[in-house]
Amino acid sequence: MRSAHPWIPNDDEKIIEEMLKTIGINDPMELFSDIPREFLLNRKLKVGRGIPLSSISIEREMASSLMDVEDIPLYRIFAGGPVAPHYTHPVVDAIISRGEILTAYTPYQPEVSQGLLKMLFEYQSAMAVLYGVEIVNAGMYDGATALAEASLMSVRVKKNKKILVPSTLFEEYKSVLKTYFQGHEISYVEYSFDEETGEINSEELSKIRNEKGAGVIVDYPSNTGEVRKTTAEIIQEAHNANSIAIAFSDPSSLGILAPPGDLGVDIVVGEGQSLGLPLYGGGMLLGILGIRNDRELLRNLPGRLIGETVDADGNIGYAMILQSREQHIRREKATSNITTGASLNAIAALVSLALKGSRGLRKEGSKILELTEELKKKLSENGLEIIHPRALHYKNIAFRFPSGKDSKKIFMRMVKERSIIPFSMTVQGGISCATEVHEREDIEIFGASLREVLSNGI
């Protein structure tokens, strides 16, 4: 006899039997017949109270749990990585809360919604200027999937199943790439950097040249924060190997760094969360994907492009001018599985960018750069081993914990006793960050709190 689902009231043997009879199958597992058996979980998840709960009971249960959670302010969050604390201006929320924007799903006949298309056109234009390329699409799910789609583009264009990836790429992104590559049988090759400076050396440059991948991913600045002087050399070496150079760049850094397009990359990718989107518990996010004006790259660009045109009377109008092969044709012929844009977040990023302007973006980037160096000093003073310590860091700083120190206990004590979320845990240790939401006094409080917690013998 199957036990009932702990959270879903309708998870009852009799109800399930009636539902199966109605749809003409004998077992719920028949609904998952496309999934290989080795990936199926043949037991119920150990969650909940072990008994079915009504909706109101679930709400009371959740409300009770949340009462124990302290609301930590944004400026006490130092956890770095793909998602980090950034300020959302009230104007952004006010605009995207308007009814005509809040449901910004592209209609199946998109031209009926001229206002939405105009906003997406303006988003594409703003991102193209920021990244220094001619073409940016209307948005992807997030930075990780946009990077995977960029890699698949290079494989299709070069007809070569190998991608070179920097060792400093976010671990989460590496996992997404490997998942995407698995079905396409694409080889994943890492290249690394000098332990002290974070710069690439001649041996690793030779590796890029000799491996001759379809694409070479360059994180600029590095996902672990290093602002490399040798980025242009990596891009040049990728081109020497007849590879497509793919730059992953945090858009918040592009007020103070040269646009990656100006460095000669072929494809640009970014995560738009740093343009003032909330943390959202790790998502929803915004993937930025653009290309230089190249016919082959354009033919393989996933997602959608919105263009400006004029009607028969000469009035300006907007139209969907390109969309990747996706749900409208046979799936086996599709070049991308992106079927839904992140239009609401694209519009939010556009509004945020318009509010900052080029001057505001530059000012914000300079502040982040300055505070990141302050944060690095505090981490180092407390005995944490900075990875690539001689590099200039922007926003993120990766580090290792001293031998014998328990990172989980440090994290929990910082949260419970100091109301500070100090870092994101990684395979190597942790990543902390400084952003525009922090001030010098916040960095001081972080350093003092970390010192006191570490001195208590963890």
Side-chain angles (χ1 to χ4, degrees):
M1 180 78 177
R2 277 170 20 87
S3 59
H5 193 282
W7 294 113
I8 303 173
N10 280 341
D11 188 19
D12 174 272
E13 281 295 328
K14 280 191 173 180
I15 295 174
I16 290 175
E17 190 177 327
E18 287 177 23
M19 288 193 290
L20 294 178
K21 189 177 177 182
T22 301
I23 62 176
I25 62 174
N26 298 315
D27 191 304
M29 297 310 293
E30 291 180 39
L31 298 171
F32 306 102
S33 58
D34 290 342
I35 301 174
R37 285 189 171 277
E38 61 267 30
F39 296 125
L40 292 174
L41 189 66
N42 293 313
R43 61 172 174 79
K44 281 186 176 290
L45 293 174
K46 292 179 181 176
V47 296
R49 295 294 184 192
I51 56 171
L53 295 177
S54 65
S55 295
I56 191 168
S57 298
I58 293 172
E59 284 186 23
R60 287 176 63 96
E61 183 86 12
M62 292 299 177
S64 173
S65 299
L66 290 173
M67 285 176 69
D68 298 331
V69 178
E70 187 177 354
D71 190 11
I72 295 177
L74 207 57
Y75 53 85
R76 291 288 183 266
I77 299 174
F78 295 88
V83 178
H86 286 283
Y87 178 65
T88 305
H89 197 288
V91 171
V92 174
D93 283 339
I95 291 180
I96 66 169
S97 297
R98 291 177 60 91
E100 66 270 38
I101 297 173
L102 194 56
T103 54
Y105 191 90
T106 311
Y108 273 84
Q109 184 57 51
E111 285 72 25
V112 301
S113 183
Q114 285 292 299
L116 171 59
L117 293 195
K118 177 173 174 55
M119 285 185 280
L120 292 177
F121 176 78
E122 297 293 349
Y123 160 81
Q124 294 173 176
S125 304
M127 291 302 153
V129 171
L130 190 62
Y131 278 81
V133 293
E134 291 87 356
I135 300 165
V136 172
N137 75 9
M140 310 285 283
Y141 294 139
D142 55 30
T145 52
L147 191 59
E149 292 283 354
S151 302
L152 296 184
M153 279 176 68
S154 65
V155 167
R156 290 195 296 271
V157 171
K158 292 295 181 182
K159 298 181 171 44
N160 168 358
K161 293 191 173 187
K162 184 185 292 182
I163 299 293
L164 276 84
V165 180
S167 60
T168 48
L169 196 69
F170 294 129
E171 293 297 330
E172 296 87 344
Y173 283 27
K174 290 179 183 177
S175 297
V176 171
L177 289 179
K178 287 173 183 173
T179 301
Y180 266 70
F181 292 173
Q182 190 176 18
H184 296 274
E185 298 179 343
I186 297 170
S187 301
Y188 172 104
V189 180
E190 269 194 22
Y191 64 95
S192 58
F193 305 91
D194 182 87
E195 284 289 318
E196 288 291 314
T197 65
E199 302 289 348
I200 195 163
N201 58 31
S202 56
E203 187 178 337
E204 293 301 309
L205 281 173
S206 299
K207 186 176 186 179
I208 291 174
R209 185 168 55 248
N210 296 332
E211 288 286 349
K212 298 186 185 304
V216 177
I217 296 172
V218 186
D219 49 347
Y220 165 75
S222 154
N223 284 181
T224 47
E226 300 84 5
V227 182
R228 298 189 188 101
K229 300 172 185 172
T230 48
T231 298
E233 290 180 46
I234 300 171
I235 295 167
Q236 182 59 51
E237 206 58 64
H239 287 155
N240 291 343
N242 194 31
S243 304
I244 288 176
I246 305 166
F248 181 88
S249 295
D250 182 335
S252 76
S253 71
L254 298 180
I256 56 172
L257 299 181
D262 289 1
L263 300 180
V265 299
D266 307 292
I267 304 176
V268 297
V269 183
E271 169 51 60
Q273 190 263 333
S274 65
L275 288 176
L277 301 182
L279 292 166
Y280 288 133
M284 54 183 184
L285 300 170
L286 167 65
I288 301 165
L289 179 59
I291 56 173
R292 61 181 172 81
N293 190 9
D294 176 90
R295 189 177 177 83
E296 272 306 299
L297 291 175
L298 183 58
R299 281 167 54 88
N300 284 279
L301 182 68
R304 294 157 184 176
L305 278 184
I306 309 302
E308 187 179 79
T309 184
V310 291
D311 65 15
D313 298 322
N315 300 312
I316 291 177
Y318 298 89
M320 188 180 290
I321 57 172
L322 181 145
Q323 62 179 323
S324 173
R325 290 179 170 184
E326 37 186 59
Q327 75 268 41
H328 301 305
I329 65 163
R330 288 176 299 169
R331 288 182 181 178
E332 66 273 19
K333 297 290 185 185
T335 53
S336 166
N337 67 356
I338 295 290
T339 57
T340 301
S343 299
L344 187 65
N345 279 350
I347 294 167
L350 172 66
V351 175
S352 179
L353 204 55
L355 287 168
K356 296 176 200 287
S358 57
R359 188 177 299 175
L361 196 64
R362 191 178 309 118
K363 188 177 176 183
E364 205 167 89
S366 299
K367 178 184 178 182
I368 293 173
L369 189 67
E370 187 180 323
L371 290 179
T372 307
E373 286 300 302
E374 288 295 316
L375 182 65
K376 187 164 72 173
K377 283 181 191 172
K378 298 300 176 190
L379 292 166
S380 188
E381 286 170 5
N382 281 293
L384 301 179
E385 182 190 347
I386 306 296
I387 296 174
H388 306 136
R390 289 172 53 197
L392 176 68
H393 284 76
Y394 177 86
K395 190 169 130 177
N396 286 322
I397 305 170
F399 56 84
R400 300 183 185 93
F401 291 94
S403 177
K405 296 292 183 185
D406 188 325
S407 60
K408 290 180 182 174
K409 285 184 179 176
I410 295 170
F411 181 91
M412 291 310 297
R413 287 192 59 179
M414 287 287 280
V415 172
K416 289 184 175 179
E417 297 174 14
R418 308 289 168 170
S419 296
I420 290 174
I421 299 178
F423 49 78
S424 300
M425 283 182 267
T426 65
V427 174
Q428 289 183 303
I431 294 184
S432 291
C433 74
T435 73
E436 76 280 4
V437 304
H438 300 116
E439 300 294 341
R440 280 182 179 275
E441 63 183 42
D442 299 317
I443 307 292
E444 291 292 333
I445 290 171
F446 171 85
S449 300
L450 185 60
R451 183 168 56 253
E452 290 170 16
V453 167
L454 287 170
S455 65
N456 285 338
I458 288 181

